Amino acid sequence: MNQRKEEDLLAIRERFEACSIAVIKQLKLLESVLMTEPYKLTDEHFKSLLQQEDQIDDHELFISDRVVAAIGLFNPMARELRELISFYRISIDLEKIGDLAMSAAKLIRKPDDHALFSRFSESFGDMLSIVITMVEKALFAFTNSDLDYAIWTIRNDDAVDDLHNNLRKNFVRKELPGLKADQELSTLVDMMSIVTCIERIADQTTNIAEAAIFTLIGEDVRHRDIESLDNN
């Protein structure tokens, strides 16, 4: 039974690592597209994103099924049980991040007004760069039991919220009054949706950091102030 247990836990960890890598690849591909001048999300880029999305979905299903089976078969306790619960929670968060990345990609792919979108593509890339760092640190916090990285991730969600709000305000105050064509208005709406997708990726990343804290110290910090954790 112990050998079977170790084999199953190893399989979960390996799939989790593969899922994490696929998500990071997906996000970094989007970032590279947005930060390249002139920006262009090609059919090849989009196909690669779809392939990563399929892999993420497959990993999430595998992890979820194996975690449920492991809890039923092996009756894990304490830290081991918390780790399994977190694998389950985080795999769902990673799948949602993949979905949000694809939603953004579909909007980025062919804006109605390319010139208007290009003026802000680097800003989207800058915002996404911050979010990618959050994702990397949150995953590191979980896999390496790093409380400081988990706390850093949660705190930086506020910075992404501020960027999100500021970009949307700029769209409305600076761009909306001068719009004349329907395609310009359509593109502006799409740009608002893109920054919202990136902001929601940051929210999912915060969930990962919270799961890392739960695994590490056994405290559920969802919807709580994390300041007290600095002294742990």
Side-chain angles (χ1 to χ4, degrees):
M1 179 68 78
N2 283 338
Q3 182 178 352
R4 169 70 187 281
K5 174 182 173 182
E6 291 305 316
E7 289 174 353
D8 280 14
L9 290 176
L10 178 60
I12 291 170
R13 292 186 181 110
E14 287 177 344
R15 279 298 195 107
F16 181 83
E17 181 179 5
C19 187
S20 301
I21 290 170
V23 167
I24 295 298
K25 283 183 178 179
Q26 197 180 40
L27 295 175
K28 286 192 172 181
L29 177 54
L30 268 186
E31 177 193 26
S32 69
V33 168
L34 289 168
M35 298 297 280
T36 300
E37 185 63 37
Y39 108 91
K40 185 178 182 182
L41 200 159
T42 65
D43 290 341
E44 184 178 350
H45 289 144
F46 197 75
K47 182 179 178 180
S48 178
L49 290 168
L50 286 173
Q51 289 173 343
Q52 298 295 334
E53 174 70 2
D54 288 342
Q55 291 178 23
I56 293 165
D57 290 345
D58 182 62
H59 294 320
E60 188 270 325
L61 289 172
F62 179 93
I63 293 166
S64 298
D65 289 346
R66 285 297 184 94
V67 166
V68 171
I71 292 174
L73 284 172
F74 308 126
N75 193 29
M77 303 295 289
R79 169 67 182 263
E80 201 170 68
L81 176 59
R82 297 199 304 271
E83 183 183 23
L84 283 169
I85 292 171
S86 292
F87 275 129
Y88 185 91
R89 284 170 50 185
I90 295 173
S91 68
I92 293 172
D93 290 322
L94 289 173
E95 191 273 334
K96 289 178 179 177
I97 288 173
D99 287 345
L100 289 164
M102 284 308 305
S103 295
K106 290 172 184 176
L107 296 170
I108 291 168
R109 192 179 187 189
K110 292 181 179 178
D112 290 333
D113 189 309
H114 195 279
L116 174 60
F117 187 92
S118 295
R119 292 208 298 272
F120 289 92
S121 61
E122 188 172 346
S123 296
F124 300 150
D126 289 338
M127 184 177 176
L128 185 57
S129 296
I130 296 171
V131 171
I132 290 171
T133 301
M134 289 175 63
V135 174
E136 291 175 328
K137 289 196 173 187
L139 290 169
F140 184 91
F142 176 62
T143 56
N144 294 274
S145 301
D146 193 310
L147 182 63
D148 289 338
Y149 269 16
I151 292 173
W152 181 93
T153 301
I154 294 171
R155 283 181 172 158
N156 273 268
D157 185 48
D158 289 339
V160 176
D161 288 342
D162 289 341
L163 283 172
H164 172 237
N165 292 331
N166 288 337
L167 275 171
R168 288 177 65 92
K169 287 177 182 177
N170 283 339
F171 295 158
V172 173
R173 292 174 181 173
K174 296 182 180 180
E175 300 298 331
L176 185 59
L179 298 185
K180 297 177 181 178
D182 290 344
Q183 61 264 32
E184 290 177 323
L185 180 58
S186 174
T187 298
L188 185 64
V189 171
D190 286 347
M191 293 194 309
M192 289 184 177
S193 297
I194 289 166
V195 295
T196 297
C197 284
I198 298 173
E199 188 270 337
R200 289 179 61 196
I201 290 173
D203 289 342
Q204 296 299 325
T205 305
T206 298
N207 294 343
I208 296 172
E210 290 169 346
I213 293 170
F214 173 71
T215 303
L216 183 59
I217 63 176
E219 289 190 30
D220 189 346
V221 297
R222 290 175 294 179
H223 316 298
R224 280 181 47 193
D225 187 352
I226 61 166
E227 296 305 320
S228 62
L229 297 178
D230 283 334
N231 299 319
N232 284 5

